[in-house]
Amino acid sequence: MAAVSLSVSTVKPLGERVFVKVSASEEKTAGGIFLPDNAKEKPQVGEVVAVGPGKRNDDGSRSELEVKIGDKVLYSKYAGTDVKLGSDEYVLLAEKDILAIVS
């Protein structure tokens, strides 16, 4: 089987899916205590790096997504599929799993 080399520029989400780069999780608590890797919470904020063409309507047209590349978004904690490309972590989400655009 041939190995496939993936990069952010080669990943194109389908339908109403969004590819998000996960923001780094907190290394320490507000009180200054450093957290080990297994105690860190899964991040819920990231930056949109690719979007699909949108959901197909009954008449065959596509609905445009509400998010665009570069938006910082808040998404459901356990939603999507985790993807690791190099040292960066990404998550592939359905648009419905995005809760808000963060400014």
Side-chain angles (χ1 to χ4, degrees):
M1 180 182 280
V4 176
S5 176
L6 293 177
S7 70
V8 175
S9 61
T10 61
V11 175
K12 178 68 177 158
L14 300 176
E16 59 183 286
R17 292 198 171 63
V18 179
F19 199 53
V20 175
K21 182 176 182 183
V22 177
S23 297
S25 59
E26 292 294 321
E27 297 287 324
K28 63 180 181 175
T29 65
I33 299 171
F34 285 94
L35 297 171
D37 287 338
N38 60 353
K40 293 178 187 172
E41 284 193 31
K42 183 176 177 182
Q44 292 176 263
V45 176
E47 181 180 347
V48 175
V49 294
V51 295
K55 182 178 180 179
R56 190 170 298 278
N57 298 322
D58 292 335
D59 64 359
S61 63
R62 295 223 182 239
S63 298
E64 189 173 319
L65 298 177
E66 292 186 49
V67 296
K68 60 187 180 304
I69 294 173
D71 284 347
K72 195 170 188 177
V73 294
L74 174 69
Y75 55 89
S76 297
K77 193 172 219 167
Y78 296 105
T81 302
D82 297 328
V83 178
K84 189 164 185 169
L85 299 178
S87 62
D88 295 327
E89 292 183 20
Y90 298 87
V91 64
L92 186 60
L93 300 164
E95 185 185 30
K96 66 179 181 175
D97 293 326
I98 296 175
L99 305 173
I101 296 174
V102 181
S103 53

